[in-house]
Amino acid sequence: MHTFEHLRHVRFPLIQGAGTIPAVGFGTLIPNPVAAKQAIKVALEVGFRHLDCAELYRNEDVVGAAMHEAFEAGTVSREELFVTTKLWNNNHRPERVKLAFEASMRRLQLDYLDCYLIHTPFAFQPGDEQYPMNEQGEPIYDSGVTLVETWRAMERLVDEGRCKSIGLSDITLPKLKEIVAIARIKPAVVEVECHPFLPEWELLEFCQQHGIVLLAFAPLGHGMEPRITDDPVIKAIAQRADMTPAQVALAWAVQRGVAFLTTSTNPAHIQENFDISSLPENAMRDMQHRITTSVRLNAVVETGVPGFVPRRA
Ligand SMILES: NC(=O)c1ccc[n+]([C@@H]2O[C@H](COP(=O)([O-])OP(=O)(O)OC[C@H]3O[C@@H](n4cnc5c(N)ncnc54)[C@H](OP(=O)(O)O)[C@@H]3O)[C@@H](O)[C@H]2O)c1
């Protein structure tokens, strides 16, 4: 029998007194609204206390409805829940940041946010179009705004007390360093693709030196090929530790100090992803040194355009 208490309730401190973030989080990128609402409600019932949202996902209203039903049912209170959402690329101009934030808050039916992230460092042409494209089908970038200017607008949201912490997503280490160097309010969270096939050790070291929480999306590799759950090293550890391969990958994340976001519409997977217990030291070493697959699954960090196929369910 495992004592699951150990990892599922871990929280990491956020810098500048912004509280703590649960290590174990649930992502809301589920295009089907009925499936999304159901999965979010199951995740909250199981015990997930971090929901990761985005204006890009076009379902903040669904997340808001699911959260409020859970509040009313007494499953969880607003104060117990950590909610993140993200500013999309067409809203980087400083005068658009607050409007985009307020629109997200209305859809989520919240009066404060725990964490607001710049979804990618790529500014697209300002306007209502989420993917402004030229005739060649390439994104139209906006050279009229810098990431620093957008960051200053994010800082003002914290000043105004609407948002407890701010951060960045889909960012490379050199760009992160630029923001850390100029920030009055430092990034509290950096959300990037991170899993056993893309461990991001250098980025993690920088984040830990600066008190930034690295938040992994795709901790199970988006469920895509090559499958993390089929890796022979991970499968062998799972067998030795009496866990599933998914639990090994998730426990490894938390034990190295990384918070994660999984997503599932399968209640058994949702439960499994919450019920994680710690790995022995030799398993942590095997994860670091014996896994040979190395792959980035999502090209968003290079272009600002999500580079994977979202689930159909
Ligand atoms: N910042 C960004 O640019 C960015 C980009 C992408 C995603 N995200 C965020 O990250 C969240 C996580 O999504 P993800 O796709 O990256 O998550 P993921 O957990 O790596 O992958 C989800 C896939 O794994 C499967 N799965 C989940 N639990 C499993 C288990 N225990 N065993 C076997 N398979 C399992 C799911 O299928 P089933 O439904 O069948 O379980 C699904 O196909 C998103 O919802 C979103 O909030 C952020």
Side-chain angles (χ1 to χ4, degrees):
M1 275 289 287
H2 293 299
T3 49
F4 293 134
E5 293 305 314
H6 184 52
L7 293 185
R8 63 187 180 181
H9 296 307
V10 169
R11 298 181 75 98
F12 297 126
L14 298 171
I15 50 174
Q16 296 180 315
T20 60
I21 181 172
V24 172
F26 192 77
T28 65
L29 180 48
I30 303 172
N32 179 319
V34 176
K37 192 171 176 193
Q38 184 56 26
I40 292 161
K41 287 174 75 176
V42 171
L44 295 175
E45 279 159 19
V46 158
F48 281 89
R49 291 295 175 260
H50 178 193
L51 294 180
D52 178 74
C53 319
E55 56 169 317
L56 179 70
Y57 305 161
R58 293 180 173 271
N59 68 354
E60 288 173 306
D61 55 339
V62 174
V63 183
M67 275 191 301
H68 280 78
E69 282 181 27
F71 297 156
E72 276 153 33
T75 310
V76 63
S77 67
R78 170 68 188 96
E79 296 68 38
E80 289 165 332
L81 200 57
F82 191 100
V83 184
T84 297
T85 197
K86 313 187 196 80
L87 176 85
W88 184 239
N89 301 355
N90 58 331
N91 286 320
H92 276 215
R93 294 266 176 137
E95 66 276 15
R96 297 182 68 89
V97 171
K98 177 121 191 249
L99 293 173
F101 174 84
E102 294 297 350
S104 284
M105 298 295 278
R106 264 195 311 279
R107 288 186 292 263
L108 290 165
Q109 302 177 50
L110 297 178
D111 54 13
Y112 73 90
L113 191 68
D114 298 281
C115 187
Y116 198 40
L117 303 177
I118 301 180
H119 202 142
T120 89
F122 297 89
F124 287 173
Q125 174 180 278
D128 291 337
E129 188 55 59
Q130 286 188 324
Y131 291 109
M133 295 287 180
N134 65 19
E135 282 165 7
Q136 288 74 48
E138 298 154 344
I140 305 172
Y141 294 102
D142 180 10
S143 55
V145 63
T146 65
L147 189 60
V148 172
E149 287 166 337
T150 308
W151 188 256
R152 294 289 180 230
M154 299 285 282
E155 292 178 326
R156 284 194 285 280
L157 294 175
V158 180
D159 292 339
E160 290 166 13
R162 302 296 310 285
C163 174
K164 292 190 175 178
S165 65
I166 49 178
L168 296 150
S169 175
D170 298 327
I171 189 127
T172 57
L173 183 52
K175 269 256 174 271
L176 173 62
K177 285 181 177 170
E178 281 174 36
I179 296 297
V180 169
I182 61 87
R184 177 171 59 79
I185 298 174
K186 303 286 179 201
V189 172
V190 165
E191 180 180 323
V192 291
E193 177 184 343
C194 186
H195 44 70
F197 298 163
L198 185 67
E200 294 284 18
W201 285 107
E202 198 185 345
L203 180 63
L204 178 60
E205 189 184 346
F206 178 84
C207 285
Q208 291 182 334
Q209 280 166 357
H210 289 82
I212 300 167
V213 172
L214 184 69
L215 176 60
F217 76 76
L220 301 176
H222 287 324
M224 288 165 65
E225 300 281 345
R227 281 185 181 272
I228 284 169
T229 47
D230 287 343
D231 182 85
V233 174
I234 295 177
K235 279 169 74 176
I237 294 169
Q239 203 169 16
R240 288 203 307 270
D242 191 20
M243 298 179 184
T244 67
Q247 287 172 327
V248 171
L250 300 177
W252 168 78
V254 178
Q255 260 173 272
R256 66 201 279 262
V258 170
F260 69 75
L261 304 163
T262 53
T263 296
S264 177
T265 51
N266 174 338
H269 283 169
I270 297 173
Q271 183 74 57
E272 176 183 329
N273 296 345
F274 187 67
D275 287 343
I276 54 169
S277 54
S278 46
L279 294 170
E281 271 315 307
N282 61 357
M284 291 298 287
R285 277 198 300 277
D286 283 357
M287 292 290 289
Q288 184 170 359
H289 300 296
R290 295 194 48 228
I291 290 176
T292 51
T293 306
S294 171
V295 65
R296 180 184 292 284
L297 296 160
N298 197 317
V300 62
V301 71
E302 285 140 25
T303 61
V305 180
F308 75 111
V309 184
R311 82 199 62 230
R312 286 182 300 275

